[in-house]
């Protein structure tokens, strides 16, 4: 029954005047956050699960904090979700109500759900009600259900217990020397683990503060890092944009040089971008490796060697091993022998909501989680990710996207008779989504704009194809299975 946020629930008021959250011009101290979250927590306390319309805003941060104080599970919704994806998430997670900013337009899919407006200006000063301050939930209770894509089918809801959040954030505090004196800046979305758990709950657990950029820009990074922020979190696409801007933005170079810690995650940071940032600023970006289902597994430590191209060493409490195809441990940690990463520890989720089959398939009999990531490990423990087991998972801009869900959406378009989706290298996004389509009417094939709009409206804009190829037929093997390796554009 321990509190996730000691600085909010401590009761002695020592942190009350310290800054907690800042979004644009609006900010809250710990005292103000407790006063804003208290009434919301009181209003949701009888609910089992609430959805939060997770715009990058103060309202979202207050809503999530309040629900967690009340011991209620949060389902963060991507506010750009299309109708199909939103419908699936709502019917799968069955929230009791949706929390949103006052005046926020919500799509029809949410019309049948009770709504609670969260207004950070609506405050009940004073200490939190006693039972909230003490923490109402058990450590094993679910805190979040975060939807994540698989190779096929719609996204699955990863059930993340309170214990995993506390454990992962405390392990990162150890690895990064992260304290209440740190001021974090980022522009990450708040419906995934990176932006929400690390980027908002992280500073709140430490008693420090976060300044959210609303949307990522290098100008915003410069402004905040030269105005008191100490840490930057981002996906590799953001660091790539930073690296590109260094030559023309000398203030950015200076701001980065003065930061305490620059952290990249959610996908591999290309060594070239790493080196460009190091050469210009003298600072090395630290990489950490995580997953929605496992939260954080490894990191380069603040006091360790930043070896570019590696994701560092296992975090305290995390067991990590590399296994062969048959599940046996690889013969050697020699920096060359490749195996699948499996992890075990208190940072892990408890399972996929309503999907016991998928949950069972994700774990070995003795509780190791199969990440699907392929890696080598040096003798001194450093892990280097070299690829992914499933070619049908695409990482674009740090978002994980399943080829199957895009193929299904494309097939719902009347102009598409057959469809296959692949990822191809992209300097900015890491990978970009490519659609290979056999048109229903060869004389009038659907355009890229049409199909991108179609996928964005059903799933989400980041899942839209960025390249389209029309084909007369898809390459198939004797079994009729599409041979994606044969899909190459010359
Ligand atoms: C474009 N847009 C459209 C369409 N085309 N909207 C509707 N229909 C269309 N056809 C809109 C978009 O909605 C968006 O609107 C704008 O155009 C630009 O979108 P996009 O092209 O997607 O932006 P981008 O520049 O490519 O985005 C790059 C990005 C983004 C900012 C780096 O990819 C991003 O935020 N990535 C973060 C992903 C992340 O947090 N992953 C963590 C999960 P508007 O202009 O309104 O925005 S992984 C994780 O959590 C694990 C645990 C881990 O390890 O971290
Ligand atoms: P998600 O399911 O969206 O949480 O994405 C998790 C996946 O992102 C992992 O399984 C990895 O494939 C990838 N990932 C996260 N961090 C890193 C990193 N630092 N380097 C390479 N891949 C990463």
């Amino acid at each position: 029954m321990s509190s996730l946020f000691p600085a909010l629930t401590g009761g002695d008021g020592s942190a009350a005047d310290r800054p907690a959250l800042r979004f644009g011009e609006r900010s809250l101290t710990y005292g103000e956050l407790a006063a804003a979250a208290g009434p919301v927590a009181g209003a949701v306390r009888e609910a089992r699960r609430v959805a939060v319309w997770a715009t990058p805003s103060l309202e979202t941060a207050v809503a999530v904090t309040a629900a967690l104080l009340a011991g209620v599970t949060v389902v963060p919704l991507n506010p750009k979700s299309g109708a199909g994806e939103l419908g699936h998430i709502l019917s799968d997670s069955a929230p009791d109500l949706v929390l949103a900013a006052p005046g926020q337009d919500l799509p029809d899919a949410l019309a049948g759900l009770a709504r609670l407006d969260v207004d950070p200006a609506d405050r009940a000063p004073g200490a939190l009600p006693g039972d909230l301050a003490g923490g109402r939930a058990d450590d094993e209770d679910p805190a979040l259900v975060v939807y994540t894509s698989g190779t096929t089918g719609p996204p699955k809801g990863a059930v993340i217990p309170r214990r995993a959040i506390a454990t992962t954030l405390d392990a990162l505090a150890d690895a990064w020397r992260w304290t209440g004196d740190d001021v974090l800046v980022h522009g990450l979305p708040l419906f995934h683990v990176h932006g929400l758990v690390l980027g908002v709950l992280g500073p709140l657990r430490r008693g420090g503060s976060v300044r959210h950029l609303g949307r990522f820009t290098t100008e915003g990074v410069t402004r905040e890092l030269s105005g008191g922020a100490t840490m930057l979190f981002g996906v590799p696409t953001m660091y790539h944009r930073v690296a590109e801007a260094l030559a023309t933005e000398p203030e950015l170079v200076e701001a980065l040089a003065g930061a305490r810690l620059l952290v990249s995650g959610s996908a591999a940071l290309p060594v070239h971008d790493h080196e460009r940032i190091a050469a210009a600023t003298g600072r090395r970006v630290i990489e950490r490796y995580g997953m929605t289902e496992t939260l954080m597994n490894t990191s380069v430590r603040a006091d360790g060697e930043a070896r570019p191209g590696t994701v560092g060493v296992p975090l305290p409490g995390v067991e990590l091993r590399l296994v062969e195809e048959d599940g046996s441990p690889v013969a050697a940690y020699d920096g060359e022998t490749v195996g699948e990463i499996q992890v075990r520890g208190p940072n892990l989720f408890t399972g996929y909501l309503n999907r016991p089959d998928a949950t069972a398939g994700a774990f070995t009999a003795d509780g190791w989680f199969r990440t699907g990531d392929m890696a080598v490990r040096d003798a001194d423990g450093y892990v280097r990710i070299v690829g992914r087991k499933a070619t049908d998972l695409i990482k674009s801009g740090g978002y994980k996207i399943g080829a199957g869900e895009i193929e299904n959406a494309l097939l719902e378009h009347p102009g598409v008779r057959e469809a296959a989706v692949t990822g191809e290298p992209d300097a900015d996004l890491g990978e970009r989504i490519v659609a290979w389509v056999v048109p229903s009417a060869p004389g009038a094939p659907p355009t890229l704009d049409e199909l991108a709009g179609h996928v964005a409206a059903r799933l989400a804009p980041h899942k839209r194809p960025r390249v389209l190829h029309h084909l007369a037929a898809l390459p198939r093997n004797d079994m009729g299975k599409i041979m994606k390796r044969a899909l190459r554009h010359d």
Side-chain angles (χ1 to χ4, degrees):
M1 290 271 266
S2 50
S3 170
L4 279 176
F5 311 116
L8 261 183
T9 51
D12 63 358
S14 56
D17 295 328
R18 290 173 65 89
L21 303 169
R22 200 171 91 190
F23 287 76
E25 299 296 302
R26 298 187 302 155
S27 60
L28 294 177
T29 62
Y30 276 87
E32 291 164 343
L33 175 57
V40 179
V44 302
R45 61 190 304 158
E46 299 308 327
R48 184 181 56 134
R49 211 177 274 152
V50 297
V52 172
W53 192 248
T55 53
S57 66
L58 200 54
E59 284 80 1
T60 297
V62 172
V64 174
T65 307
L68 293 179
L69 283 172
V72 173
T73 310
V74 172
V75 186
L77 301 176
N78 175 355
K80 295 207 179 96
S81 281
E85 185 163 290
L86 197 53
H88 162 69
I89 292 174
L90 291 173
S91 67
D92 190 52
S93 64
D96 300 304
L97 65 164
V98 57
L99 277 54
Q104 170 77 56
D105 268 344
L106 296 179
D108 291 348
L110 287 155
L113 205 56
R115 169 180 181 152
L116 180 72
D117 281 345
V118 173
D119 184 352
D122 182 6
R123 299 186 202 145
L128 286 166
D131 62 334
L132 294 184
R136 285 183 77 220
D138 288 330
D139 294 346
E140 288 305 314
D141 284 351
L144 302 172
V145 179
V146 178
Y147 279 80
T148 181
S149 293
T151 51
T152 56
K156 303 188 287 283
V159 181
I160 300 171
R162 300 168 74 89
R163 164 263 295 163
I165 293 177
T167 306
T168 224
L169 293 176
D170 293 352
L172 292 178
D174 178 78
W176 297 342
R177 301 281 178 264
W178 188 357
T179 73
D181 292 330
D182 278 303
V183 178
L184 171 66
V185 56
H186 70 87
L188 293 156
L190 300 190
F191 47 86
H192 275 309
V193 162
H194 195 167
L196 183 62
V197 177
L198 274 58
V200 174
L201 306 184
L204 293 182
R205 183 160 175 86
R206 297 276 73 79
S209 71
V210 56
R211 299 181 190 169
H212 196 283
L213 296 173
R215 67 182 303 152
F216 174 84
T217 60
T218 54
E219 293 78 13
V221 169
T222 301
R223 187 184 63 241
E224 298 307 335
L225 284 181
S226 47
T230 62
M231 299 167 87
L232 172 67
F233 290 177
V235 296
T237 300
M238 296 170 180
Y239 284 101
H240 176 75
R241 293 178 185 180
V242 162
E244 291 284 293
L246 292 170
T248 51
E249 296 176 29
E251 324 76 44
L252 175 62
V253 175
E254 208 176 307
L256 292 167
R260 189 180 76 76
L261 211 62
L262 310 172
V263 186
S264 173
S266 302
L269 180 66
V271 172
H272 177 59
D273 288 332
H274 204 94
E275 298 295 1
R276 286 197 291 172
I277 294 171
T281 68
R283 307 308 309 271
R284 293 212 160 268
V285 178
I286 278 182
E287 274 200 84
R288 94 298 180 283
Y289 157 62
M291 230 175 142
T292 303
E293 291 90 332
T294 65
L295 304 188
M296 295 304 116
N297 295 312
T298 71
S299 183
V300 170
R301 297 182 59 88
D303 55 4
E305 183 199 339
R307 221 174 279 172
T310 80
V311 292
V313 296
L315 288 163
V318 178
E319 292 179 83
L320 184 147
R321 67 180 190 185
L322 302 183
V323 300
E324 301 283 357
E325 193 70 37
D326 65 4
S328 62
V330 297
Y333 290 147
D334 54 5
E336 284 178 16
T337 311
V338 178
E340 181 190 355
I341 301 177
Q342 293 189 344
V343 288
R344 199 163 64 172
N347 54 313
L348 265 55
F349 76 145
T350 44
Y352 298 109
L353 192 66
N354 305 324
R355 294 292 306 275
D357 54 327
T359 304
F363 288 93
T364 67
D366 46 356
W368 292 89
F369 177 76
R370 311 174 206 270
T371 64
D373 292 311
M374 305 300 290
V376 300
R377 195 168 176 190
D378 291 341
D380 59 1
Y382 274 66
V383 175
R384 185 184 304 268
I385 296 175
V386 296
R388 210 176 298 123
K389 228 174 160 181
T391 49
D392 272 352
L393 283 179
I394 299 162
K395 263 272 160 168
S396 187
Y399 287 113
K400 182 150 93 180
I401 302 160
E405 59 179 325
I406 309 174
E407 288 160 0
N408 289 338
L410 289 171
L411 287 169
E412 287 173 21
H413 189 281
V416 175
R417 192 167 56 163
E418 289 184 84
V421 165
T422 58
E424 68 182 20
D426 184 280
D428 182 45
L429 296 170
E431 288 182 283
R432 59 176 167 258
I433 296 170
V434 183
W436 307 79
V437 160
V438 179
S440 311
T447 65
L448 175 62
D449 271 1
E450 248 179 274
L451 293 183
H454 172 84
V455 171
R458 266 169 184 68
L459 304 178
H462 67 264
K463 296 183 178 176
R464 72 190 187 277
R466 311 228 180 193
V467 180
L468 169 66
H469 299 297
H470 294 124
L471 298 174
L474 293 179
R476 292 184 185 270
N477 64 15
D478 293 344
M479 312 287 289
K481 194 169 175 293
I482 299 169
M483 295 189 297
K484 292 206 174 173
R485 283 180 210 288
L487 289 171
R488 292 242 154 73
H489 189 66
D490 309 309

